[in-house]
Each structure stands twice: as C-alpha cells, then as structure tokens.
Amino acid sequence: MIELTENNGAVMEQFVSETQCFCLDCDGVIWKGSEVLPHVKETLEGLRKLNKRLFFITNNSSNSRKGYLKKFQSLDLHVDVSEILTSSYAAAVYAKEHAIKKAYVIGGDGIKEELELIGVEACGFEEHLHKTFKEEEFLHEWEEFTKKYPVESIGAVIVGYDNRFNNFKLAMAHQILRRNPQCLFMATNTDATLPYKNNLFFPGGGCFVAALSTAIGRKPDIVAGKPSTLLLDTALHLLYEECKDKVTPENRHVAVCMVGDRLETDIVLGNKTGVKSVCVLTGVATREHLNEIIEEAKQDESKKLLNPQYVLPQLALLRNVVLK
Amino acid sequence: MIELTENNGAVMEQFVSETQCFCLDCDGVIWKGSEVLPHVKETLEGLRKLNKRLFFITNNSSNSRKGYLKKFQSLDLHVDVSEILTSSYAAAVYAKEHAIKKAYVIGGDGIKEELELIGVEACGFEEHLHKTFKEEEFLHEWEEFTKKYPVESIGAVIVGYDNRFNNFKLAMAHQILRRNPQCLFMATNTDATLPYKNNLFFPGGGCFVAALSTAIGRKPDIVAGKPSTLLLDTALHLLYEECKDKVTPENRHVAVCMVGDRLETDIVLGNKTGVKSVCVLTGVATREHLNEIIEEAKQDESKKLLNPQYVLPQLALLRNVVLK
C-alpha cells in the first residue's frame, strides 16, 4: 500500500501525472451528508485544469444523473452531467445494450427517468405507485396489467431504493419473474442501508432486492452498483472511446483510479476492474481498519481484494500537487 | 422409512394405537387450496372417537387461531380453537413468556389479535397501516411514535406475512432494532411464498423478514414457524400438562407424530423435536422426491433430518384403522 501524503511529494506527483481519469465515490470522499469536505472544491477545479477526466460514481439510484446534478449544484460544485454515473444510469445502459424494450421497476423516479431517456419503457410505473395489494383482486390486476404489457415482452425487473415500496409492486415483480423465465432480475444496488442526514439510516435498496430474491428463490442476475463492476465498466467504455490516446484497456491500471472510502465496495470495485484503488480516510474506512485488513490479507487470499493500492488520507491532499 | 399403507395393516394399527397426539400440517394434508382432501373429514372424526388429541399446525400468521377456525368451518370441518396452532399464536406465547409488554408488528391482523389476547400491545399497528414513507418526515414521525412508545419499552419487532407491507413500517422496525439493541427480532415464519388459490403464489412472510434482516444486518433472533421448533414445542408443553398420563417428554417419540407434506419444514420439525415424522404424498413431496432424499441421506449426514420415519400416502388411509 502506497501512502499519498505531504511527506511523500514525489510519489504523489507521479501519481497525479500518470492518472488521466479519477473515478470518485461521493459520500465520504466529496461530501459528508450535506457538507462538502474541506478544500475539495478547489482540488476538483485543479484536477480539471490539468485536463483530468472526472467521474462521480454513486450506488444511489433514487436520482437520475440530472437529479444528482442538483445535489452538486446545491453544494456549489460545478459538475457536468456527463461526469455523473449513477447505478440507475448503468442499469439503463445495460438494459438498452441487451435489447430490452420494457422493464418493471421497483425503485425511484431516477431509474424511470434513465430508462426513458434511453428508450426503455417502465411498465406500470405511475399506476402502481399507490396500489394496495389485495389477494382476491390480484389475478384481475395481473390480467389487466398483462393485457397492456404481455409478460413475455417485459425483459427485466429492475429493483433499487424505493421509498414508496409496497407489497403490490413486490407481488407484481415476483409474478413477472415467475411467469417469464427469460426476464432478467436486475438490481441497481444491494446496499443494506441508505445514509441520510442527522445520522439517520434508512433501509436501502438491498432490502427490496432481498425481499424479491426470497420470493423468487434466486439472487439478481445483474447488479449495477458497487462492488459489481458494471458502473466502472460503463466509465471505462466511455473513456476508451473518448480519450483513445490516453486511456486504453492496456494502460488502465496506470491511467485510471477509483477513489473511495469503503473497502467492501469502492476498493473491491477498483481492484476487480484492474484500475488503481485509492482509499481515503474521510468516510467509513479508518487507519486501524486498513491495518487490520492488510494483516488479514497476508493470511487470507480472499481478503486481498479489500486491500487498497494507495491510501490518500483526504482527497484535498492532492491540491498540494494540482494547484502548484 | 416405514410404509403406512393398506398392505401393511398390522403396522398401521400399531402406529395408530401407540400415537396419542397427531400434529397435522394443513395445506397438502387436510386440504389443498379451498378443497378438503377426500375422506379427511371422516378420518379426523374417527381419530377423535379414539380420543386422539389433534393439533392443526400452520405457519400462516395472517389469521389468529379464531380467524383460522373460520377456514375450517367454511370447509365443514369441526375443529376446536384449542386444536389450532398458528405461528402468530406461538410468537405471542413466546413474547408473553419473555415478559414482553409491547411489540412492533409487521404483519396481519392475526398477529395483533393473538398478541392482544395474551396481553402484549401491538404499538402503532393501526396508525401505521396506511402511512407513506417520506425521508424528510421520518424523524418527526419517529419522535411522535417514541413519545407514545419509548423505544426501550418495545421488547420485540415481530414480522410475518403482511399484505399491507410498506416502506414506512420497514423503516420504523429497522429504527427500533437499531436504537434498542435489547429488542428481539422475531419472525412468525420465513416462508418464501404463500400459496393461494388458482395456483397463484404470493411473496410470503420470509420476504419481509429478509428485507428487515438486510437492513439491520442480522437474522431473526427467533422464528416461530416451521422448521423452527417453537410451534411444536408449544404443542408439546400443552400436551405434557393436559395428558400427563399419556404424553411425557420421555415417550414423545412414540406418543406424538408430526404429519406433513414438506420435507424441509414439517419433516425436519418432527425430527428435530424428537417426535414421529410422517410424510404424506398429497401435497409437495412426491415418491420420487422421497427416494432421492433417502439416497442422499446415506451419503450426506446433513440430509438426515429431511428423512421421514414414516410415509403415509394420504392421511385418509388411516381411516381403514380408525373407523374399524
């Protein structure tokens, strides 16, 4: 593990100079709750001046990329929508690439918006928002629904964080997967909880995924969010097209880094995707936690993926180099 | 595995004569959907004439025992409420025995009714039935709720099949378990699906348990329903008091049988509880399935519990003996 600190100036300079693209987790890296971390704003501006490509990567599927942009704007961070990668967007891209025309969504408006932007219909989305489940009415509801959307035409059930989750939607999604074995079961993310302000945590997208998994007796076929590689793969494909001369599949282990505060998601994602994994200490991971993992990984091969290649105590330390 | 068939009359006679109590799973044993299986009615009446104690055991927690009684009556089966053991009842008895005064329920009226009958309050049950979850209002809702029911006074969160399941209740239950580490997490059952008529299956109680388990990061502390032993333990405790001279902890492996159609729940339950396990073939288990399990259990110790001691192709075969 390489330290990226003030005392290690030459190493940090080399790190910044060889890295063309910074993939940044948001919560715990850019902000905490509703506050931007100190000096992050000028660090991002400095990276931009050096022509570094930035991606802001989030598992949160409640918002579309456009919706997420507002969060950045509200924090006075200047970001382009093309720099934002949400799990809702990655799921929509995946659906599109797999010729899916119709999907059933358990999730927020973010998923629906991304699907529609890309040309995938979110069947019954509005109609089912406030439905009440009644056993004796379900067969009728099902017949009405499948008259409009034949079950074999529904290519995916996509599940993410859904603050309006109800049993009607769960029963519908279950019935679709049961009656159409070709239908993909996709999760935008499997996060157990959703951090909210005031130190509140709410049940996360993973809870709704677990409910449907239990009913249908199988895990999701595809998970878009971290630690699945789909989000970062989406970023890499964009990079290979956009910056052909700078980023290639062959040099991604040098030219691209994934910066995050959670070993189990961000760091595993970076390591699995073959880019540089960078752990900050401004969020979940602590120095003690890191030291433990390093020790455990020596004994236990399965922990190796949790091991970041770099530790950068705070993202803002990069400004020593980028603002020079 | 001993066959209880017409060709095996002496064995069947001995089986009936030594068995004092028949614990019977309902769906697939007594009825299928909304139809009583052939000759079950007179078989039950015959068993009663021989002074056999009957228990009807169900994982279904939607109904209280009183509610379940109506199902029997609607099928023209004469049953006393004291013969019915639902997972909602077993959960309520457990709560009472553990000095729990208040519980938070994700589930149907059956759980609430059983709790109230036994003197446990179902906090916020009516108020939360039709709540809509909104992140920004949750803290206020939580404060209102805990003003009425201080979180440390809530001894259990009890989760079962809930056709009115919504995200508000999930978030409340999650918050209670998070803020009161002493609070028990109880499940009435962990059934993945609920069989309904017209060959329909709905997401079962296990789905809601899985959602909360995911959020809180632990499995339920207590499961009342099969294959957990709580339901049958409840029956055995009643028997030891009620029929002291006939059923004792020492002779239960002879005097009590558990009859069911599912190896993973009914048969495992019988075997774990040390009573005679009897598999019927009028429900889920088939002869082929049984033969496979017997072969597998020879190789794999962990499959032994799935192995019934007796196979009784249909419950009604007993009438050859009991109506003699």
Side-chain angles (χ1 to χ4, degrees):
Chain A
M1 204 170 57
I2 301 167
E3 297 278 335
L4 296 173
T5 55
E6 296 96 325
N7 309 330
N8 219 349
V11 172
M12 202 192 278
E13 267 189 54
Q14 197 200 331
F15 174 85
V16 171
S17 106
E18 70 187 17
T19 308
Q20 304 306 319
C21 171
F22 289 77
C23 299
L24 304 159
D25 174 43
C26 298
D27 201 40
V29 178
I30 307 292
W31 59 64
K32 264 198 129 163
S34 53
E35 301 208 351
V36 184
L37 289 165
H39 306 296
V40 160
K41 190 173 150 73
E42 61 256 41
T43 308
L44 294 178
E45 283 165 7
L47 285 168
R48 257 187 244 286
K49 276 195 192 129
L50 294 174
N51 284 319
K52 305 299 184 186
R53 177 69 157 105
L54 305 182
F55 277 116
F56 300 93
I57 292 196
T58 174
N59 262 10
N60 192 316
S61 65
S62 314
N63 288 311
S64 60
R65 285 171 305 155
K66 271 199 179 156
Y68 227 64
L69 188 60
K70 285 186 194 148
K71 162 120 192 181
F72 282 92
Q73 285 166 343
S74 75
L75 296 172
D76 196 32
L77 293 171
H78 305 296
V79 161
D80 188 79
V81 73
S82 68
E83 294 175 322
I84 301 176
L85 284 181
T86 62
S87 62
S88 51
Y89 173 67
V93 170
Y94 186 92
K96 176 76 174 178
E97 280 172 357
H98 289 75
I100 287 165
K101 299 273 189 296
K102 289 185 172 66
Y104 189 79
V105 174
I106 292 181
D109 294 329
I111 304 179
K112 176 178 164 264
E113 283 168 28
E114 292 295 356
L115 285 172
E116 288 182 349
L117 274 173
I118 218 162
V120 179
E121 186 178 7
C123 310
F125 188 85
E126 299 295 343
E127 302 96 290
H128 292 180
L129 277 185
H130 304 290
K131 283 273 186 189
T132 304
F133 176 79
K134 293 205 175 101
E135 287 87 350
E136 62 277 16
E137 291 172 11
F138 188 80
L139 201 56
H140 172 71
E141 293 275 8
W142 172 255
E143 281 163 3
E144 288 300 303
F145 176 74
T146 49
K147 235 182 260 170
K148 205 164 160 189
Y149 311 104
V151 67
E152 60 280 6
S153 74
I154 302 174
V157 167
I158 307 181
V159 186
Y161 177 72
D162 186 358
N163 58 3
R164 297 164 298 195
F165 183 78
N166 65 47
N167 193 32
F168 183 89
K169 289 196 267 186
L170 178 64
M172 273 284 165
H174 167 243
Q175 209 59 223
I176 292 166
L177 291 174
R178 192 173 258 268
R179 307 236 180 163
N180 178 4
Q182 306 303 317
C183 183
L184 275 182
F185 174 13
M186 294 178 63
T188 60
N189 68 80
T190 53
D191 298 358
T193 53
L194 180 80
Y196 191 67
K197 54 193 175 190
N198 301 113
N199 219 7
L200 265 182
F201 288 81
F202 293 131
C207 300
F208 313 123
V209 174
L212 184 56
S213 270
T214 301
I216 199 67
R218 75 177 206 257
K219 288 192 186 301
D221 305 310
I222 301 291
V223 178
K226 301 173 278 185
S228 149
T229 60
L230 200 61
L231 262 173
L232 205 47
D233 285 340
T234 309
L236 288 171
H237 280 116
L238 289 170
L239 284 171
Y240 298 155
E241 280 180 30
E242 207 183 272
C243 337
K244 276 197 188 70
D245 48 334
K246 289 188 193 161
V247 183
T248 65
E250 290 70 35
N251 81 354
R252 71 181 191 281
H253 63 285
V254 177
V256 182
C257 73
M258 173 71 216
V259 184
D261 69 320
R262 287 178 188 254
L263 303 180
E264 298 77 8
T265 52
D266 304 313
I267 300 308
V268 168
L269 173 62
N271 290 337
K272 280 204 296 194
T273 326
V275 305
K276 294 190 284 197
S277 54
V278 184
C279 185
V280 294
L281 303 176
T282 43
V284 171
T286 61
R287 181 64 75 174
E288 294 69 41
H289 193 182
L290 275 185
N291 290 340
E292 272 171 37
I293 284 294
I294 293 168
E295 281 310 305
E296 287 175 22
K298 283 183 192 160
Q299 315 289 332
D300 180 353
E301 193 68 22
S302 72
K303 303 260 167 154
K304 281 232 157 41
L305 279 176
L306 293 165
N307 228 330
Q309 291 172 263
Y310 295 86
V311 59
L312 171 67
Q314 12 170 335
L315 184 69
L317 288 183
L318 291 180
R319 80 188 190 287
N320 299 321
V321 173
V322 300
L323 297 179
K324 254 210 264 196
Chain B
M1 203 170 57
I2 301 167
E3 297 278 335
L4 296 173
T5 55
E6 297 95 325
N7 309 331
N8 219 350
V11 172
M12 202 192 278
E13 268 190 52
Q14 198 200 330
F15 174 84
V16 171
S17 106
E18 71 188 15
T19 308
Q20 303 306 320
C21 172
F22 289 76
C23 299
L24 304 159
D25 174 44
C26 299
D27 200 41
V29 178
I30 307 292
W31 58 64
K32 265 197 129 164
S34 53
E35 301 208 349
V36 183
L37 288 164
H39 306 296
V40 160
K41 191 173 149 73
E42 61 256 42
T43 309
L44 294 178
E45 283 165 7
L47 285 169
R48 256 186 244 286
K49 277 195 192 128
L50 294 174
N51 284 318
K52 305 298 185 187
R53 177 69 158 104
L54 305 182
F55 278 116
F56 300 93
I57 292 197
T58 174
N59 262 9
N60 192 316
S61 65
S62 315
N63 289 311
S64 61
R65 286 170 304 155
K66 271 199 179 155
Y68 226 64
L69 188 60
K70 286 185 193 147
K71 163 120 194 182
F72 283 91
Q73 285 166 344
S74 75
L75 296 172
D76 196 32
L77 294 171
H78 305 296
V79 160
D80 188 79
V81 73
S82 68
E83 294 175 323
I84 300 176
L85 284 180
T86 62
S87 62
S88 51
Y89 173 66
V93 170
Y94 186 92
K96 175 76 174 177
E97 281 173 356
H98 289 75
I100 287 165
K101 299 273 187 298
K102 290 184 172 67
Y104 188 79
V105 174
I106 292 181
D109 293 329
I111 304 178
K112 175 178 164 264
E113 283 167 29
E114 292 296 355
L115 285 173
E116 287 182 350
L117 275 173
I118 219 162
V120 179
E121 186 178 5
C123 310
F125 188 85
E126 299 296 342
E127 302 95 290
H128 292 180
L129 277 184
H130 303 291
K131 283 274 185 187
T132 304
F133 175 79
K134 293 205 175 102
E135 287 87 350
E136 62 277 17
E137 290 171 11
F138 187 81
L139 201 55
H140 172 71
E141 294 275 7
W142 173 254
E143 281 163 3
E144 288 301 303
F145 177 75
T146 49
K147 236 181 259 171
K148 206 164 160 190
Y149 311 105
V151 67
E152 60 281 6
S153 74
I154 302 174
V157 167
I158 307 181
V159 185
Y161 177 71
D162 186 358
N163 58 4
R164 298 165 297 195
F165 183 77
N166 65 48
N167 193 32
F168 184 89
K169 289 195 268 187
L170 178 64
M172 272 285 165
H174 166 243
Q175 209 58 225
I176 293 166
L177 290 174
R178 192 173 259 267
R179 307 236 181 164
N180 178 4
Q182 305 303 316
C183 182
L184 276 182
F185 173 13
M186 294 178 64
T188 60
N189 68 80
T190 53
D191 297 359
T193 54
L194 180 80
Y196 191 67
K197 53 193 175 191
N198 301 113
N199 219 7
L200 264 182
F201 287 81
F202 294 131
C207 300
F208 313 124
V209 174
L212 184 55
S213 270
T214 301
I216 199 68
R218 75 177 206 255
K219 288 191 186 302
D221 306 310
I222 302 291
V223 178
K226 301 174 279 186
S228 149
T229 60
L230 200 61
L231 262 174
L232 205 46
D233 285 340
T234 309
L236 288 171
H237 279 115
L238 288 170
L239 284 170
Y240 298 154
E241 280 181 30
E242 210 183 88
C243 338
K244 276 196 187 71
D245 49 333
K246 289 188 193 161
V247 183
T248 65
E250 290 69 35
N251 81 354
R252 71 181 191 281
H253 63 285
V254 177
V256 182
C257 73
M258 173 70 218
V259 184
D261 69 321
R262 288 179 187 252
L263 304 180
E264 299 77 9
T265 52
D266 304 313
I267 300 308
V268 168
L269 174 62
N271 289 338
K272 280 205 294 193
T273 327
V275 305
K276 294 190 284 197
S277 54
V278 184
C279 185
V280 295
L281 304 176
T282 43
V284 171
T286 61
R287 181 64 75 174
E288 294 70 41
H289 193 181
L290 275 185
N291 291 340
E292 272 171 36
I293 284 294
I294 293 168
E295 281 310 305
E296 287 175 21
K298 282 182 193 160
Q299 316 290 333
D300 181 352
E301 192 68 23
S302 72
K303 304 258 167 156
K304 280 230 157 43
L305 279 176
L306 293 165
N307 228 331
Q309 291 173 262
Y310 295 85
V311 59
L312 171 67
Q314 13 170 334
L315 184 69
L317 288 183
L318 292 181
R319 80 188 189 289
N320 299 320
V321 173
V322 301
L323 297 178
K324 254 210 264 196

